[in-house]
Amino acid sequence: MGLFAAARLTGLLLMSGWAWHIGRPPRAILGRAWDADWYMLIAEHGYGRVLTWPGAVQSDLAFFPLYPALVRGLSSLVPGVTSGSLGLLVSWSAGLVAAVGIYAVGERLHGRRVATLLVLLWGLMPHSVVLTMAYTEPLLTAFAAWALYALLTRRWLWAGALAVLAGLSRPNGIAVAAAVLCVVAYEIARGGRNRTAPGTGGRNRTSPGTGGRNRTSPGTGGRPVTNPRRDPRLWAAAALAPAGWCGYVLWVGFRTGDPLGGYFAVQRGWTSTFDFGAGSARVVRDIVLRPAVLPLTMALLIVLAAVLLFVLFVLGRPPAALLVYTAVLVLITVGGSGFFESKPRFLLPAFPLLLPLALALTKARPRAAIVVIAGLAGLSFGYGTYLLTLSPFAL
C-alpha cells in the first residue's frame, strides 16, 4: 500500500503543480473530467441523460451502476461534500484495496518480492494516472484481484460474490465472471477425480486457479472435498458470478424496450462495438501511414506491449483463473472498436500481464532493476500529466 500510494501521490503532485501553473483546478480535472462527469451526474440525478452528436448518441445507460451508487450513498452519509470529491474518495480507497489484492495474488504465486514489484509496476504504468481519477478502473481491479485470490484459495462463495460486484462496476467486469465460471466448471466436470490441473505440466494435482498451494477447501478441517459435484458452494458461485453483469444488461434492455439488444444498442451509440479488431485495425493503419497525435501513438504502443506481455504470461503457464481473466480483458480491448485512445485504460485491470516483468526484475541486477523502475516512473508521471492537462482526447 505504501509503495502504491507513494507512486500515485508523486504523479498526482506533479500533475497538480502543472495544472495550477496553466490555470486549471486539479480537483476538477480528477473529479469531473470526461467519464467522471457522467458518473457524478448519475450519482446526483440518476439515469436519463442523453447527448446527441453527429454520428453518435451518447446515453448514460452505458455506465454501470455500482460506482455512482457508492458515491450517492456516501453523499447521504457525508452531506455538504461535492460528488467529485466523494468519487475521488471511492476511487482512491478502491486503489489501495486493489493494491493489497494484487499483492496477495502475487505473493501466493511467486512470493513477496515478485508481489511487491507487481504492485509497484501497476502503480507506474504509463496511463496509471487514471487510478487517481473518479473513474471505475480502481473499483473493478479491487474486486477482480480479490475474486482471483478467492479462486486461488478455493473460497468459491467469495469468488462468486466479488464477481457480482465486478460485473456491476464496468462492462469488462464480465472477465471476472468468466474466470469464476471456467474454474468452477472444471471443478464440477472433474467430479472428484484426482487429475492434474490444466496448465501445470503435471507438476501438481491441485485444481486450476489454486496456485498449487492447497488441496482442500476452507472449512473442511483438512479433508478434501471428494465430489465437487455435490458441493453447493460451487453451484452457488456459478450462479452468482454472471448475475451482476447480466442483471444490469437486462435492466438496460427492458428500460429501452429491447431486453436482449438494448444495452448493446446503447454501446453502439457510443460507437463502441465488438468487431473482432476490424475497427482497431483501421485506426492502426491510419497511425502507421499518417502523422498521429501522441495519445493515439502511445495507445498503440501500450496495446502492442500488452499483447507481448500476454504471450509471455501464457508461456509461464499461470493458473487457469488468472489466464481466463486476463485473456478476456485482452480480447475485449483488442477486439473492440470505439475510442482507440482509451484502450490502455481498459487494460489497467489486467494486472497479471505485469507478472513476467515483475519476475524478470527479481532476477535482474539491482542497478538494472532500479533503472527500469525509474524510467517507468518518469514516463508514468510525465505522460499522466500530459493526458490530464494537455491531451486533446478524453481518457
Side-chain angles (χ1 to χ4, degrees), residues 10-395:
T10 304
L12 177 62
L13 291 175
L14 291 174
M15 186 282 298
S16 299
W18 178 253
W20 279 317
H21 175 71
I22 63 175
R24 297 185 61 188
R27 190 172 67 170
I29 296 175
L30 295 169
R32 300 294 304 218
W34 303 303
D35 286 2
D37 191 49
W38 286 88
Y39 282 115
M40 296 309 109
L41 289 172
I42 294 170
E44 294 163 0
H45 308 293
Y47 286 98
R49 185 187 185 206
V50 177
L51 295 181
T52 302
W53 306 89
V57 178
Q58 297 177 335
S59 167
D60 59 7
L61 292 172
F63 297 91
F64 276 53
L66 182 58
Y67 181 68
L70 291 174
V71 174
R72 186 163 189 163
L74 277 178
S75 66
S76 64
L77 296 174
V78 191
V81 182
T82 64
S83 296
S85 297
L86 293 174
L88 292 176
L89 176 61
V90 173
S91 295
W92 294 354
S93 300
L96 291 174
V97 173
V100 179
I102 291 170
Y103 176 87
V105 171
E107 192 277 334
R108 184 168 185 84
L109 295 177
H110 300 290
R112 295 183 63 181
R113 288 188 64 194
V114 172
T116 302
L117 281 169
L118 184 63
V119 173
L120 183 59
L121 291 172
W122 186 63
L124 293 177
M125 294 174 75
H127 45 293
S128 58
V129 68
V130 173
L131 301 175
T132 52
M133 299 179 67
Y135 270 44
T136 52
E137 278 73 19
L139 191 66
L140 171 58
T141 309
F143 292 135
W146 285 108
L148 293 174
Y149 182 78
L151 288 174
L152 292 174
T153 55
R154 302 170 63 85
R155 291 171 169 86
W156 309 120
L157 291 179
W158 275 107
L162 290 165
V164 172
L165 297 173
L168 290 169
S169 302
R170 284 192 53 76
N172 53 356
I174 190 64
V176 183
V180 174
L181 287 172
C182 286
V183 173
V184 167
Y186 176 81
E187 283 287 323
I188 293 174
R190 188 168 169 266
R193 293 186 294 274
N194 200 12
R195 296 178 178 176
T196 300
T200 63
R203 294 187 301 272
N204 61 35
R205 294 178 177 269
T206 60
S207 301
T210 65
R213 292 291 187 92
N214 62 19
R215 302 186 185 187
T216 62
S217 294
T220 62
R223 298 184 304 275
V225 177
T226 56
N227 190 351
R229 294 177 184 173
R230 297 180 182 177
D231 189 345
R233 295 168 299 175
L234 284 167
W235 294 98
L240 280 173
W245 190 90
C246 293
Y248 181 70
V249 168
L250 289 174
W251 180 81
V252 172
F254 280 107
R255 177 159 174 154
T256 58
D258 182 2
L260 297 181
Y263 170 77
F264 303 101
V266 168
Q267 288 288 359
R268 286 194 296 272
W270 285 81
T271 69
S272 179
T273 59
F274 187 84
D275 58 4
F276 298 95
S280 296
R282 290 191 292 270
V283 176
V284 171
R285 179 195 61 194
D286 292 340
I287 293 173
V288 172
L289 297 179
R290 301 183 181 93
V293 294
L294 180 60
L296 290 177
T297 303
M298 281 294 295
L300 175 58
L301 293 176
I302 291 171
V303 170
L304 290 176
V307 172
L308 174 60
L309 287 172
F310 180 70
V311 173
L312 296 175
F313 174 67
V314 173
L315 292 177
R317 303 169 79 178
L322 273 69
L323 178 61
V324 172
Y325 168 73
T326 309
V328 173
L329 286 178
V330 172
L331 178 63
I332 291 173
T333 302
V334 175
S337 66
F339 300 98
F340 190 86
E341 64 275 8
S342 297
K343 287 186 180 293
R345 175 165 63 85
F346 302 156
L347 288 168
L348 271 174
F351 66 89
L353 289 175
L354 299 171
L355 276 170
L357 182 55
L359 286 165
L361 288 176
T362 59
K363 300 174 183 177
R365 293 181 178 179
R367 182 177 298 179
I370 291 172
V371 169
V372 171
I373 292 172
L376 286 174
L379 176 61
S380 176
F381 302 153
Y383 186 59
T385 298
Y386 167 82
L387 284 176
L388 265 60
T389 60
L390 299 173
S391 173
F393 289 96
L395 270 175

